């Protein structure tokens, strides 16, 4: 019995190593492509004879990555702050006061989760042009806030309903604290775990957003990382080495963050999806 | 916590008249800012889109005519609509099936006490946080006709080069594959969490009764995993039906319209063909399809959950 178990364990380890290798292939191909000199047309499976880092500096300079990182950071950061602030505030009455009005609004927010905002691309674009918000941070931020608000409210409402004791708020009420005061001084600090999840979900998806960004941030000075990368790809289709280097640079910040905060990323993203 | 309590005692003695709690109000003003943003950027455009779908607007001029149901007649008569719907369903349903089957297998495998478990999980999960556009480019290096890794390998074995991305017969499947590769990690993690919540007692009891591993899987694991299956199914269907970035990166929707999804087709109609009224019609149609399929999936799997 013991022997069989050991044999089974070796077999499963073998299978999981195969799975591991299979999942590493695209990253390996990307790395070898990025590290080869421009004229090197050897197979992508072959490791470069000498490591060439010039592609990275060239890609950094020509792909507009520096300014794009700053734009993406501003958009992601502001969207996350607004989502957390207004989303938690919105979820509170829906979790606590079961009035008809609140039920209707909760239902509206949740129903919006299913329809992708981009089905309304044409009128949205028309509206943004009409109110003169093209190529502004505001449009990207507000679009992303609107897109992720339903999920944010859903997560906060569920958390408040299931884990925050009502007694604390009642005590504060009796003391004469205002509703907003009660919420921000007493409830909000207790929402830390779900705030972390919202922060992670929002940051991952808004950082990676491409759809809103190509529609509404067409001016080069407003490009986000994904948009810069896409236009760089368009210009350098014959220099895949450069594109690969740019892609590595573009995915680096999130990857490094993920490797350090893995536990939180997985908990955040899966709790969001489990409840969403 | 003690801080709050002391503060409480202090204020209670100071303002005893507030002890009477007012009748509950909706506090609707607390969600006013959120609703304003959602209304302005989702609901209003959505209803405005229904209105635009009855026009022949070209996307930039100030004038356009109301053409009644013409755009809808056009939509149903347009063979591209059905090709695009077919592709969208393939992206939605195909990647859902693949992600769930693979995700469950990975979870079962990586739930065992084997070596390198943590590293393997990390590598499978990593693509989840990478932009789908970048993921598309990464696989482009693999699949591209000129100098792609796949063709390098084929040539090494003396085989003919193939143009997978340019082949309308199966480039849609490549897109399904790439989407699966990217998001199988989420399915795996949700199944792992589900597996870990099943009590070991069930398996011990089953072993005493002499149940085989397969019987245990069918009668214990699968029914108790039903909630995880629901979440994964619904999540992956919604994600797959709105696929956009990966398609742009891999094929751009081509050749022709062969790998176009409803989102990329709508984008093309508006920005490349100045056919905004028709794009709005496609948008309305897309919203209806996604809504119907997602709700059907949700209801279907929820019902299964109760039976189990």
């Amino acid at each position: 019995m013991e022997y069989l178990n050991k044999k089974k364990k070796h077999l499963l380890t073998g299978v999981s190593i195969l799975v591991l290798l299979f999942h590493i292939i695209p990253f390996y191909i990307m790395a070898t492509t990025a590290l080869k000199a421009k004229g090197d047309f050897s197979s992508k499976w072959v490791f470069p004879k000498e490591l060439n880092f010039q592609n990275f500096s060239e890609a950094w300079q020509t792909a507009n990555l520096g300014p794009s990182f700053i734009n993406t950071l501003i958009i992601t950061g502001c969207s996350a702050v607004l989502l957390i602030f207004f989303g938690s505030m919105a979820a509170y009455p829906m979790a606590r006061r079961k009035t008809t009005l609140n039920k209707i609004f909760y239902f509206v927010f949740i129903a919006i989760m299913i329809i992708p905002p981009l089905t309304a691309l044409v009128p949205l674009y028309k509206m943004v042009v009409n109110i003169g918000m093209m190529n502004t941070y505001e449009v990207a931020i507000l679009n992303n806030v609107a897109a992720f608000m339903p999920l944010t409210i859903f997560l906060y409402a569920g958390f408040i309903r299931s884990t925050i004791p009502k007694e604390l708020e009642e005590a504060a009420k009796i003391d004469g604290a205002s509703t907003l005061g009660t919420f921000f001084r007493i409830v909000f600090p207790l929402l830390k775990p779900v705030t972390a999840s919202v922060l992670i979900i929002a940051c991952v998806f808004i950082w990676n957003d491409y759809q809103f960004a190509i529609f509404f941030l067409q001016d080069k000075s407003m490009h986000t990382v994904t948009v810069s990368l896409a236009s760089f790809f368009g210009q350098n289709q014959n220099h895949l080495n450069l594109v690969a280097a740019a892609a590595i640079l573009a995915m680096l910040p999130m990857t490094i963050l993920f490797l350090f905060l893995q536990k939180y990323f997985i908990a955040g993203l899966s709790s969001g999806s489990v409840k969403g | 916590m003690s801080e709050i309590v002391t503060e409480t005692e202090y204020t209670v003695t100071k303002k005893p008249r507030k002890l009477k709690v007012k009748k509950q109000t909706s506090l609707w003003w607390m969600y006013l800012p959120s609703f304003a943003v959602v209304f302005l950027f989702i609901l209003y455009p959505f209803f405005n889109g229904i209105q635009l779908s009855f026009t022949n607007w070209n996307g930039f001029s100030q004038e356009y005519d109301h053409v009644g149901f013409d755009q809808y007649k056009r939509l149903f008569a347009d063979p591209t609509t059905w090709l695009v719907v077919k592709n969208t369903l393939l992206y939605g349903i195909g990647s859902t099936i693949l992600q769930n089957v693979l995700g469950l297998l990975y979870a079962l495998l990586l739930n065992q006490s084997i070596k390198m478990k943590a590293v393997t999980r990390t590598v499978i999960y990593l693509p989840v946080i990478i932009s789908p556009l970048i993921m598309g480019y990464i696989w482009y290096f693999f699949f591209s006709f000129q100098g792609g890794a796949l063709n390098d390998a084929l040539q090494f074995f003396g085989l003919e080069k193939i143009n997978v991305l340019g082949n309308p017969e199966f480039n849609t499947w490549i897109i399904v594959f790439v989407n699966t590769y990217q998001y199988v990690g989420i399915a795996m993690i949700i199944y792992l969490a589900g597996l870990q919540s099943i009590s070991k007692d069930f398996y011990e009891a089953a072993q005493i009764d002499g149940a085989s591993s397969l019987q245990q899987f069918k009668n214990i694991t699968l029914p108790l995993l039903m909630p995880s299956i629901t979440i994964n199914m619904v999540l992956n269907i919604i994600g797959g039906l709105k696929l956009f970035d990966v398609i742009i990166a891999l094929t751009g929707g081509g050749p022709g319209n062969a790998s176009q999804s409803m989102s990329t087709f709508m984008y093309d109609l508006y920005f490349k063909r100045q056919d905004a009224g028709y794009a709005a019609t496609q948008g309305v149609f897309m919203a209806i399809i996604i809504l119907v399929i997602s709700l059907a999936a949700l209801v279907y799997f929820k019902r299964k959950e109760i039976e189990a």
Side-chain angles (χ1 to χ4, degrees):
Chain A
M1 200 65 188
E2 181 76 336
Y3 169 74
L4 258 178
N5 260 337
K6 218 170 188 178
K7 203 171 157 189
K8 196 177 146 203
K9 199 174 271 184
H10 283 315
L11 182 75
L12 289 178
T13 306
V15 174
S16 85
I17 288 171
L18 284 180
V19 169
L20 178 70
L21 289 177
F22 171 70
H23 277 262
I24 283 180
I25 288 174
F27 291 105
Y28 173 78
I29 301 291
M30 177 168 66
T32 58
T33 311
L35 289 167
K36 277 178 193 169
K38 260 188 194 164
D40 186 346
F41 292 115
S42 58
S43 164
K44 289 193 163 54
W45 298 92
V46 179
F47 205 74
K49 277 190 208 86
E50 50 186 275
L51 297 182
N52 177 303
F53 288 98
Q54 221 186 330
N55 292 330
F56 289 95
S57 55
E58 195 177 338
W60 177 264
Q61 278 159 17
T62 48
N64 192 36
L65 282 177
S68 310
F69 271 123
I70 294 169
N71 288 339
T72 314
L73 200 64
I74 292 172
I75 292 167
T76 309
C78 293
S79 309
V81 169
L82 289 176
L83 274 170
I84 287 167
F85 183 76
F86 287 117
S88 62
M89 205 169 100
Y92 179 70
M94 297 189 199
R96 280 289 188 255
R97 305 282 175 89
K98 297 267 154 61
T99 62
T100 317
L101 186 72
N102 286 353
K103 280 184 196 156
I104 292 171
F105 271 86
Y106 185 69
F107 177 79
V108 170
F109 275 113
I110 300 311
I112 291 171
M113 269 202 300
I114 299 178
I115 307 174
L118 277 171
T119 52
L121 163 71
V122 177
L124 187 63
Y125 192 83
K126 186 174 177 239
M127 184 187 86
V128 169
V129 172
N130 284 346
I131 56 178
M133 273 174 89
M134 275 300 283
N135 297 313
T136 56
Y137 289 128
E138 290 88 331
V139 71
I141 292 167
L142 291 175
N143 262 321
N144 281 311
V145 168
F148 286 98
M149 188 55 84
L151 179 66
T152 306
I153 291 179
F154 184 65
L155 292 175
Y156 273 119
F159 190 84
I160 294 173
R161 223 177 276 145
S162 61
T163 39
I164 308 289
K166 256 186 169 158
E167 290 73 19
L168 285 175
E169 297 150 48
E170 278 158 11
K173 243 306 104 80
I174 292 166
D175 293 348
S178 68
T179 311
L180 267 191
T182 311
F183 177 71
F184 280 109
R185 296 231 296 270
I186 306 208
V187 181
F188 190 74
L190 297 171
L191 298 177
K192 253 181 219 147
V194 66
T195 301
S197 297
V198 169
L199 193 68
I200 286 165
I201 296 170
C203 288
V204 168
F205 288 102
I206 298 173
W207 183 275
N208 291 336
D209 167 60
Y210 176 61
Q211 305 192 343
F212 286 134
I214 39 159
F215 301 142
F216 302 111
L217 304 175
Q218 294 175 355
D219 192 87
K220 200 182 174 204
S221 67
M222 291 302 295
H223 278 183
T224 58
V225 176
T226 48
V227 180
S228 291
L229 194 66
S231 71
F232 190 65
F233 177 73
Q235 294 152 17
N236 292 283
Q237 228 147 356
N238 298 322
H239 296 298
L240 285 187
N241 310 61
L242 276 182
V243 178
I248 290 179
L249 291 171
M251 59 178 254
L252 216 52
M254 272 290 172
T255 307
I256 292 171
L257 213 61
F258 172 72
L259 292 176
F260 278 109
L261 305 172
Q262 219 186 110
K263 212 169 71 187
Y264 304 96
F265 265 96
I266 289 179
L269 275 165
S270 55
S271 85
S273 44
V274 165
K275 288 170 186 158
Chain B
M1 204 64 95
S2 63
E3 237 175 273
I4 296 167
V5 174
T6 43
E7 207 181 323
T8 306
E9 283 161 1
Y10 168 71
T11 8
V12 163
T13 47
K14 216 179 165 189
K15 291 180 182 175
R17 63 193 162 85
K18 284 268 177 174
L19 269 169
K20 212 175 165 189
V21 179
K22 271 199 295 179
K23 193 179 164 279
Q24 288 206 335
T25 51
S26 281
L27 298 177
W28 56 270
W29 50 269
M30 285 183 85
Y31 47 76
L32 195 63
S34 311
F35 186 72
V37 176
V38 167
F39 180 81
L40 196 63
F41 286 88
I42 298 179
L43 286 178
Y44 169 73
F46 184 73
F47 289 110
N48 192 215
I50 296 176
Q51 189 218 326
L52 280 175
S53 72
F54 291 101
T55 69
N56 62 1
W57 189 43
N58 64 9
F60 48 88
S61 86
Q62 291 302 315
E63 284 160 35
Y64 50 82
D65 296 320
H66 288 266
V67 293
F69 281 93
D70 283 7
Q71 300 284 27
Y72 285 89
K73 281 181 204 147
R74 195 178 149 200
L75 177 131
F76 286 108
D78 186 349
T80 317
T81 306
W82 302 110
L83 172 70
V84 165
V85 169
K86 196 189 94 192
N87 287 345
T88 307
L89 292 179
L90 177 73
Y91 298 146
I93 296 168
S95 26
T96 302
I97 295 172
L98 266 177
Q99 277 174 57
N100 278 282
V101 171
L102 258 174
L104 183 58
L105 287 176
Y106 285 176
L108 288 169
L109 176 69
L110 297 172
N111 199 30
Q112 312 285 331
S113 52
I114 49 176
K115 276 176 201 158
M116 307 259 287
K117 182 169 74 172
V119 182
T120 312
R121 281 187 194 178
T122 304
V123 170
I124 293 174
Y125 194 82
L126 180 68
V128 170
I129 60 131
I130 294 172
S131 143
L133 184 83
I134 297 181
M135 191 47 64
Y137 291 140
I138 293 178
W139 281 103
Y140 183 86
F141 306 137
F142 187 85
F143 285 119
S144 70
F145 185 62
Q146 286 300 341
L150 179 67
N151 282 329
D152 286 344
L154 289 177
Q155 281 184 316
F156 179 79
F157 291 110
L159 296 163
E160 284 280 301
K161 273 170 79 171
I162 46 173
N163 188 359
V164 272
L165 293 175
N167 186 331
E169 292 290 319
F170 51 75
N171 59 8
T172 45
W173 289 99
I174 300 290
I175 290 165
V176 168
F177 165 79
V178 172
N179 187 44
T180 302
Y181 169 87
Q182 174 153 32
Y183 290 116
V184 69
I186 288 199
M188 174 188 76
I189 293 291
I190 292 174
Y191 281 129
L192 270 173
L195 285 176
Q196 280 156 10
S197 70
I198 301 176
S199 161
K200 291 221 164 46
D201 300 350
F202 291 119
Y203 295 106
E204 274 162 23
Q207 262 157 11
I208 293 167
D209 290 346
S212 69
S213 316
L214 202 67
Q215 281 172 324
Q216 287 178 34
F217 177 75
K218 213 182 117 202
N219 298 317
I220 304 170
T221 315
L222 218 48
L224 290 172
L225 271 184
M226 234 19 240
S228 315
I229 296 176
T230 309
I231 299 151
N232 272 329
M233 288 286 176
V234 176
L235 210 67
N236 296 341
I237 283 184
I238 297 177
L241 291 176
K242 49 183 186 189
L243 219 56
F244 181 84
D245 312 19
V246 178
I247 305 170
I248 296 286
L250 278 171
T251 65
N257 288 317
S259 58
Q260 206 93 268
S261 73
M262 297 186 81
S263 341
T264 58
F265 186 48
M266 211 170 59
Y267 173 70
D268 269 13
L269 283 173
Y270 190 4
F271 288 100
K272 294 190 184 152
R273 305 182 200 176
Q274 274 83 43
D275 209 345
Y278 190 43
T281 316
Q282 290 280 355
V284 172
F285 192 51
M286 179 183 169
I288 293 170
I289 287 187
I290 292 188
L291 202 64
V292 169
I293 293 177
S294 317
L295 284 179
L298 188 67
V299 170
Y300 176 80
F301 286 107
K302 271 280 170 202
R303 201 171 284 164
K304 284 256 161 172
E305 226 172 274
I306 296 158
E307 278 167 25

